[in-house]
Amino acid sequence: QVQLVESGGGLVEAGGALRLSCAASGRTSSIYNVAWFRRAPGMLQEFLAAIRWPDNYTRYQDSVKGRFTISRDNAKNSVYLQINSLEPAAWADYYCAASLLASSAPLMGDWTFYTHWGQGTQVTVSS
């Protein structure tokens, strides 16, 4: 079993920056991909970024490329999402998720592929 806990959310001014953390525990050696998703009020869940362990391949939603960066710290079993140039539209609940099976690049952005989820952390943007 894998457990994920997000942290780092909060109130940030528009144009500011924030780093979200996802701490993994349990059978962390079995994790193949870790991804970040968000869900804004009244909207569907949106894929943001993912990282693949064997080759460190990363994939981003086109709309966040250049502003969001996903990274990992293997020693701490943690994955991070650096968010820069925050827009009001970034106001949402952010979730990290893990998959335990190998994937193609397209599947890395498919929420149905991920089987382990954190509880979420909220980002609120002031303008």
Side-chain angles (χ1 to χ4, degrees):
Q1 186 65 35
V2 173
Q3 296 82 42
L4 304 173
V5 179
E6 302 96 333
S7 62
L11 175 63
V12 183
E13 295 182 356
L18 197 67
R19 189 180 76 160
L20 306 180
S21 298
C22 175
S25 60
R27 297 183 179 181
T28 57
S29 61
S30 65
I31 295 175
Y32 198 90
N33 299 285
V34 175
W36 285 95
F37 296 82
R38 71 182 177 189
R39 185 163 188 162
M43 303 294 291
L44 298 176
Q45 188 164 248
E46 179 186 20
F47 167 74
L48 299 173
I51 186 167
R52 188 165 63 197
W53 246 246
D55 57 1
N56 205 37
Y57 175 84
T58 57
R59 182 186 177 190
Y60 293 90
Q61 176 78 288
D62 288 343
S63 63
V64 306
K65 287 181 178 178
R67 297 188 297 111
F68 288 24
T69 302
I70 189 170
S71 61
R72 70 187 187 192
D73 186 330
N74 292 339
K76 297 181 179 179
N77 290 320
S78 295
V79 175
Y80 308 98
L81 184 68
Q82 178 68 40
I83 305 173
N84 296 326
S85 301
L86 275 166
E87 301 175 348
W91 183 329
D93 293 325
Y94 288 71
Y95 300 86
C96 66
S99 65
L100 308 186
L101 298 175
S103 66
S104 63
L107 285 175
M108 293 177 67
D110 186 345
W111 72 270
T112 65
F113 184 72
Y114 293 86
T115 56
H116 297 74
W117 293 77
Q119 85 290 346
T121 186
Q122 186 176 61
V123 174
T124 304
V125 183
S126 63
S127 59

